[in-house]
Amino acid sequence: MTGTRPGTVRHDAGTGTWVLYGHSTAYGLRLAAGSVWHVWWGPALTPGQVAALPLPPRDHDDVLGEELPGEGGERFGPPSVQVAFADGTRAVEWVPAGHHIDGGHLCVALADRHYPLRLELHYRVRPDTDVIERWTRVRHTGAAAPVAVTTLDSASWTLPAHHHHRLSHVGGETKVEFQLCRTTLRTGEFTLTSRRGVTRHEVNPWLMVDHGDATEEHGRVWSVALAWSGSWRITTRRTLAGQVTISGGPGHGGPAWLLRPGETWQTPVFAGLVSDGGFGAASRQWHAYVRRHVLPAAGEDRPVFYNSWEACGFDVDEAGQRALAGLAARLGVELYVLDDGWFGARTDDRAGLGDWWPAPARFPDGLGPLIAEVHRLGMRFGLWVEPEMVNPDSELYRRHPDWVLHMAHRRRTEIRHQLVLNLARPDVAEWTYAWLDRLLTDNPIDHLKWDSNRAFTEAGWPGAADPGRLFTEHTRNLYAIIDRLRAGHPGLRIEACASGGGRVDLGMLGHAELTWPSDNTDPVDRIAIQEGYGQLYPAVTMGAGAGDSPNAVTGRAAPLRFRLHVAMAGALGLSGDLRQWPESERREAAALVAAYRRIRPVVQHGDLYRLRPAALDRATVVQYVSADAAETVVLAWRAITRPREIDVPLVRLRGLDPSARYRDVERGELFDGAVLTHAGLNLALPAGDQASVLWHLRRVTAR
Ligand code: DGJ
């Protein structure tokens, strides 16, 4: 029916209702009484059906259900628009200022009744996804004094009222990232936030809400995710009557941005999705959206990588790296990444950040000979950088002590002995771009691991006319530098890291195709980290390292096969000291890497089914299926054996063609698609702790 064609927007002038159509869902909003109201988010109703829906109910003395509530009138929830005009007035009062539809993009404009401020609500839908992108823009339409903007959310989402709501999100810290949290949403406000200038580990900028009845495979789930890598806030508000709103955007409190006459300020995207089919279906939809519409170089296979950090720490030099590179190449590694310690006076974390030239004692002839050797071995070369940071003990800081975030008469708090460069300053941003561009021009570097190891403190900018811009401009300039580097060096690929997984978000994923979710490579811990990561972000972005045994972080020993099998669930990497691995293990690792390279297209670009949730003493099982159902990969891991778990029951596979037969690529055994789908696959998971198994099945015939 053309009226509900995916990727389009319909407008009913009679009721002032717009309906946006995603792949199979619709989103409705209406202009009424000087505001824009939410009316529908769910399965695709016709434009007439949505136009006939009522406005959201009020909560006796509170206005609810606006698409972007401002301050003023009976509004007592979290304001999504907070401004202060020159005369001290803070509230806003809107009048309609037109709308614009362009394919799947809708812009609804409002103007303040008295003051020179225009607000635009933007929406975008696409035919191949139910993810709706929303963002906001404000414009100073006058010629006089600036308007102080303290809050401008990207969107506020309204969910249907219900007697029970449950919230899912991830929380953690460095080395324990992406732990899945599920909790009843109670009356009041619940905020996920980072005030640290960077996304950081504590919570990640997405959440999911269900009615408490959703499972991995069943139930409706509403989810939202913010595309921003600086400070951020997502507040969920629930009334006693069970109405829920979720508002979110960049920043959290702090100084205002002074919007100058003629100036526009645009927020990042806050994307939303309503889906049936439980948490699994929600994750698959997000994964497909990220792959199709967010990532650069999305369709490429991510190379098997090696990273020197776990093996060497800061102790790197040309001879040692050559030796490791030689071993890595024999194991089938395709990208060799030299981590921290290669530059300036960097022999530990106390010095050198900011002095981005190869350390003469360690790399006497620069990086060229090592890069040439890595290329000769058939691998790409990657290099660690932390461009937003400086050690006070560095030539850069001695020359430019004013380039860091700081405040007059205040201490400069050091974390990891480093300070944050003020990337909001155009001269600092330009300098940063220039040294990176020179490094990439002078050296055939294929990949940068872009790290960021501390939060902002004393986030001031003495002398700036508008220091409140700092938080936003730092992140925008970060994105802009990466984009310029990519444009100038088209083969360059970027890995996002921030003390492990501290800067994973839809914003960064628009500029970096790979992340490093955690420095903890212990496979037992990684099972939960990977499950939390994969709630929103796809396997193709998830750098998954297999390190040494015992593990460098936890001290726990693990068989090589288990370490590799767990890491095969994402973009596989190796990170241990290969020099210490017995030759028998190196041979085994080479065989496992070769097996990974066979399953890689399915793991990295297929659909993920979490057949059994992450657990320590039960088998965790994940399955990946290619888009055409011709190939599937099953990975099962069990950290601790309990007697009742020695015989794992059959596990029913998903997404296969029941009328086809599938052959096990390694062992040649044949299976009926119908049996795998309805009865299941016997995993044959070996007994014992840290047991794992890999199945790779390919369709052979269609009956
Ligand atoms: C923190 C990262 O998470 C590590 O992987 C490593 O790159 C170190 N920084 C280097 O200082």
Side-chain angles (χ1 to χ4, degrees):
M1 180 178 175
T2 52
T4 62
R5 190 151 52 87
T8 62
V9 183
R10 297 290 305 267
H11 182 226
D12 178 65
T15 57
T17 304
W18 294 270
V19 191
L20 298 105
Y21 290 99
H23 177 254
S24 60
T25 58
Y27 188 91
L29 52 139
R30 186 173 305 150
L31 187 65
S35 193
V36 184
W37 306 85
H38 174 77
V39 283
W40 178 245
W41 193 15
L45 300 179
T46 66
Q49 288 166 339
V50 177
L53 292 172
L55 291 176
R58 289 170 62 94
D59 185 36
H60 73 105
D61 69 345
D62 201 358
V63 172
L64 289 168
E66 282 175 295
E67 286 289 277
L68 205 75
E71 279 188 304
E74 292 172 282
R75 291 177 177 84
F76 303 107
S80 283
V81 185
Q82 280 185 299
V83 296
F85 300 102
D87 62 4
T89 293
R90 296 179 57 81
V92 285
E93 291 183 11
W94 302 121
V95 291
H99 80 271
H100 177 73
I101 296 170
D102 179 10
H105 176 204
L106 167 68
C107 166
V108 179
L110 301 166
D112 190 89
R113 197 166 61 71
H114 178 80
Y115 293 95
L117 190 68
R118 175 185 164 94
L119 174 72
E120 293 176 2
L121 312 184
H122 289 264
Y123 301 80
R124 186 188 291 123
V125 284
R126 296 190 173 92
D128 64 352
T129 176
D130 282 318
V131 172
I132 302 171
E133 293 176 343
R134 292 183 58 186
W135 67 98
T136 307
R137 210 183 260 174
V138 281
R139 183 171 176 75
H140 191 312
T141 51
V147 176
V149 182
T150 40
T151 304
L152 184 65
D153 279 345
S154 304
S156 178
W157 303 88
T158 300
L159 272 48
H162 195 262
H163 65 273
H164 183 61
H165 289 101
R166 183 172 54 169
L167 191 77
S168 303
H169 66 99
V170 288
E173 57 184 72
T174 182
K175 301 188 178 68
V176 201
E177 292 91 339
F178 301 106
Q179 303 299 302
L180 185 57
C181 312
R182 253 183 204 138
T183 169
T184 297
L185 187 59
R186 308 211 177 273
T187 301
E189 293 179 13
F190 178 80
T191 295
L192 303 177
T193 188
S194 164
R195 299 185 181 86
R196 297 168 188 248
V198 187
T199 323
R200 299 306 289 182
H201 312 74
E202 288 66 29
V203 278
N204 197 259
W206 64 261
L207 61 83
M208 298 188 185
V209 175
D210 74 296
H211 287 165
D213 54 0
T215 63
E216 185 61 23
E217 306 221 339
H218 302 285
R220 185 161 295 182
V221 177
W222 292 262
S223 35
V224 293
L226 187 65
W228 187 241
S229 314
S231 291
W232 58 274
R233 176 193 56 79
I234 300 177
T235 300
T236 306
R237 180 190 188 210
R238 187 175 191 278
T239 68
L240 191 62
Q243 289 136 317
V244 169
T245 55
I246 309 168
S247 55
H252 187 139
W257 171 301
L258 297 179
L259 192 67
R260 293 185 282 248
E263 197 182 14
T264 298
W265 187 21
Q266 181 173 314
T267 69
V269 162
F270 193 18
L273 168 73
V274 60
S275 52
D276 290 323
F279 297 109
S283 296
R284 283 187 291 282
Q285 287 230 36
W286 281 109
H287 296 170
Y289 163 73
V290 172
R291 286 196 303 260
R292 289 184 198 137
H293 302 296
V294 178
L295 286 178
E300 284 178 7
D301 287 353
R302 303 298 182 264
V304 177
F305 63 92
Y306 176 83
N307 179 290
S308 68
W309 177 247
E310 192 177 312
C312 308
F314 296 96
D315 192 11
V316 294
D317 62 16
E318 191 180 316
Q321 295 306 298
R322 278 174 178 269
L324 275 169
L327 291 170
R330 277 178 47 207
L331 267 50
V333 166
E334 299 157 313
L335 164 69
Y336 185 88
V337 184
L338 168 58
D339 208 281
D340 203 344
W342 60 269
F343 53 91
R346 185 80 164 167
T347 51
D348 56 28
D349 60 9
R350 293 175 175 272
L353 283 177
D355 299 343
W356 298 106
W357 52 83
R362 297 174 162 211
F363 297 92
D365 301 311
L367 294 173
L370 175 63
I371 299 176
E373 172 66 359
V374 167
H375 284 163
R376 189 191 68 76
L377 289 164
M379 299 182 291
R380 291 180 235 175
F381 181 80
L383 190 66
W384 179 93
V385 289
E386 194 178 5
E388 298 149 83
M389 303 292 164
V390 62
N391 285 118
D393 185 0
S394 66
E395 290 191 22
L396 178 68
Y397 189 73
R398 284 186 278 275
R399 265 202 328 273
H400 297 290
D402 55 325
W403 276 14
V404 299
L405 301 180
H406 68 286
M407 292 176 178
H409 313 298
R410 291 289 171 258
R411 266 179 230 112
R412 300 182 180 195
T413 303
E414 291 179 26
I415 302 178
R416 209 192 190 212
H417 311 289
Q418 63 197 55
L419 298 167
V420 183
L421 286 174
N422 183 355
L423 234 59
R425 280 179 59 146
D427 55 345
V428 178
E430 189 56 34
W431 175 85
T432 305
Y433 164 74
W435 76 256
L436 281 160
D437 181 54
R438 201 176 330 109
L439 179 75
L440 295 170
T441 304
D442 294 349
N443 299 280
I445 293 167
D446 307 294
H447 170 108
L448 288 178
K449 177 179 174 183
W450 190 297
D451 204 349
S452 166
N453 285 300
R454 61 156 289 178
F456 291 12
T457 58
E458 297 87 31
W461 183 354
D466 183 6
R469 291 172 182 248
L470 185 157
F471 277 92
T472 308
E473 290 299 79
H474 183 104
T475 301
R476 283 188 181 160
N477 284 345
L478 162 76
Y479 293 158
I481 291 167
I482 295 178
D483 289 349
R484 262 177 94 184
L485 292 171
R486 297 188 72 119
H489 307 272
L492 179 68
R493 298 292 174 259
I494 305 285
E495 173 185 356
C497 174
S499 307
R503 193 153 58 189
V504 179
D505 55 74
L506 294 184
M508 204 59 190
L509 287 179
H511 308 271
E513 42 275 290
L514 187 69
T515 73
W516 181 236
S518 182
D519 276 341
N520 184 349
T521 55
D522 182 326
V524 173
D525 291 342
R526 273 275 178 161
I527 291 172
I529 292 171
Q530 293 179 174
E531 176 160 289
Y533 183 99
Q535 298 295 311
L536 207 92
Y537 307 115
V540 70
T541 68
M542 185 173 76
D548 286 331
S549 175
N551 183 266
V553 169
T554 64
R556 187 172 15 233
L560 184 79
R561 183 182 156 86
F562 186 66
R563 281 179 267 154
L564 267 290
H565 275 167
V566 170
M568 285 186 191
L572 176 67
L574 301 177
S575 58
D577 190 348
L578 306 179
R579 295 165 297 197
Q580 307 302 325
W581 291 18
E583 186 52 31
S584 58
E585 286 210 350
R586 291 191 201 132
R587 273 202 302 275
E588 190 185 350
L592 287 161
V593 168
Y596 175 74
R597 285 165 65 165
R598 287 193 291 276
I599 64 170
R600 166 167 56 189
V602 187
V603 170
Q604 296 193 359
H605 311 293
D607 281 337
L608 167 70
Y609 293 89
R610 292 180 290 257
L611 301 183
R612 286 170 154 240
L616 275 181
D617 60 352
R618 292 174 56 84
T620 304
V621 187
V622 294
Q623 184 200 352
Y624 303 82
V625 186
S626 63
D628 58 1
E631 233 176 315
T632 190
V633 170
V634 178
L635 285 162
W637 321 287
R638 188 187 53 237
I640 301 169
T641 300
R642 302 264 179 247
R644 66 184 157 78
E645 272 299 315
I646 289 177
D647 285 320
V648 177
L650 299 177
V651 176
R652 289 172 58 188
L653 303 192
R654 302 285 312 278
L656 299 187
D657 175 359
S659 67
R661 304 195 87 195
Y662 289 83
R663 188 189 303 278
D664 173 18
V665 174
E666 305 290 326
R667 292 160 282 247
E669 208 179 332
L670 278 171
F671 299 92
D672 285 325
V675 172
L676 295 171
T677 303
H678 302 301
L681 171 74
N682 184 348
L683 292 172
L685 192 59
D689 287 352
Q690 305 198 40
S692 61
V693 70
L694 159 68
W695 290 87
H696 181 193
L697 308 179
R698 218 175 257 149
R699 185 165 57 196
V700 283
T701 55
R703 282 200 197 121

